[in-house]
Amino acid sequence: MEPEKERNSENSRREFLKKSGVLTALALTPTSLVAALDKKWDEKVAEYFETVQLIIEINGKKHSLKVEPRKTLLDLLREDLQLTGSKKGCDHGQCGACTVHVDGVRVLSCLTLASMQQNTKVTTIEGLAEGRKLHPMQKAFIKHDGFQCGYCTSGQIMSGIACIKEGHANSREEISEYMSGNICRCGAYHNIVDAIQEVKKNGEKV
């Protein structure tokens, strides 16, 4: 190996080992000790890790951002861009409240790294309506009272649209199966299925 390439390779290995050591130390630190650390601890750790340049289109608008490799798409949307329609429910990919579309495919944004979405097109609940004109699925949810507290509603609507696009809205049973990743603690499931069936039946563009 050439001397210059060998030095670069050695530096890369050292940097990797240093960062791995930091992560291991954080993972092994007792909770009580972490709680007692200076409030700027998180900021110092964050600064240690490099940010990456991210070009992403969200609801038709292009953004050029610098993000930490560990930041989720949900946190990018909510904290950096103030698009708070996508909700943080369980933060473990089990409730579906954070569902958005990436290049037309539904994803759980709490389990999706923002840095991996280079040059993708993301649609959130805020990007469905055209001005004051609601999306057909939004209208159907209102008509059929597909929500109570409303916390899960944005994720339910995004998944409902995807359900039709994926071809999984041919019966109540099929809709229920392919919407099972979205949990509604208020129990509005019956009305949600009604809303999805109506949009499917009307053949409106979703």
Side-chain angles (χ1 to χ4, degrees), residues 25-41:
L26 287 173
L28 296 176
T29 302
T31 304
S32 58
L33 178 58
V34 173
L37 291 173
D38 185 272
K39 64 180 180 180
K40 292 187 178 181
W41 170 257

Side-chain angles (χ1 to χ4, degrees), residues 124-143:
T124 71
I125 190 72
E126 291 92 342
L128 293 184
E130 297 178 5
R132 298 181 64 85
K133 182 181 179 183
L134 295 179
H135 185 281
M137 191 65 74
Q138 291 174 309
K139 292 180 182 177
F141 263 66
I142 293 172
K143 176 181 177 181

Side-chain angles (χ1 to χ4, degrees), residues 1-12:
M1 183 181 292
E2 296 177 12
E4 184 64 30
K5 290 184 178 179
E6 187 173 355
R7 281 196 298 272
N8 291 338
S9 177
E10 183 63 26
N11 288 336
S12 296

Side-chain angles (χ1 to χ4, degrees), residues 3-199:
E4 184 64 30
K5 290 184 178 179
E6 187 173 355
R7 281 196 298 272
N8 291 338
S9 177
E10 183 63 26
N11 288 336
S12 296
R13 283 196 294 271
R14 287 175 180 170
E15 188 65 19
F16 172 77
L17 289 172
K18 284 197 299 183
K19 291 183 177 181
S20 298
V22 172
L23 289 175
T24 302
L26 287 173
L28 296 176
T29 302
T31 304
S32 58
L33 178 58
V34 173
L37 291 173
D38 185 272
K39 64 180 180 180
K40 292 187 178 181
W41 170 257
D42 284 341
E43 296 175 10
K44 292 175 182 177
V45 173
E47 289 172 2
Y48 183 77
F49 293 91
E50 295 179 1
T51 57
V52 296
Q53 188 70 32
L54 175 66
I55 305 297
I56 189 170
E57 183 178 313
I58 300 174
N59 298 331
K61 182 180 179 180
K62 282 199 172 184
H63 297 268
S64 178
L65 307 162
K66 285 189 176 182
V67 299
E68 294 176 33
R70 61 183 179 174
K71 184 182 285 288
T72 65
L73 178 57
L74 178 60
D75 286 341
L76 176 72
L77 294 171
R78 290 181 58 82
E79 297 175 7
D80 296 1
L81 300 176
Q82 285 72 58
L83 294 172
T84 56
S86 304
K87 303 303 182 186
K88 181 176 284 193
C90 64
D91 208 25
H92 287 80
Q94 297 176 346
C95 71
C98 67
T99 304
V100 300
H101 295 171
V102 177
D103 289 336
V105 178
R106 58 173 155 173
V107 303
L108 298 170
S109 58
C110 77
L111 297 183
T112 304
L113 288 175
S115 59
M116 299 298 290
Q117 308 312 305
Q118 193 70 248
N119 297 315
T120 59
K121 295 182 179 180
V122 176
T123 303
T124 71
I125 190 72
E126 291 92 342
L128 293 184
E130 297 178 5
R132 298 181 64 85
K133 182 181 179 183
L134 295 179
H135 185 281
M137 191 65 74
Q138 291 174 309
K139 292 180 182 177
F141 263 66
I142 293 172
K143 176 181 177 181
H144 292 279
D145 194 20
F147 50 87
Q148 289 184 41
C149 79
Y151 195 85
C152 74
T153 304
S154 60
Q156 297 278 4
I157 289 174
M158 300 306 288
S159 283
I161 293 169
C163 197
I164 294 175
K165 285 185 173 181
E166 294 163 3
H168 298 309
N170 300 304
S171 68
R172 296 191 69 86
E173 293 73 23
E174 187 176 33
I175 291 172
S176 295
E177 173 67 23
Y178 284 90
M179 289 291 291
S180 61
N182 290 77
I183 296 176
C184 173
R185 66 179 297 172
C186 301
Y189 297 114
H190 186 88
N191 297 348
I192 289 170
V193 174
D194 286 343
I196 295 171
Q197 279 195 310
E198 177 170 296
V199 176

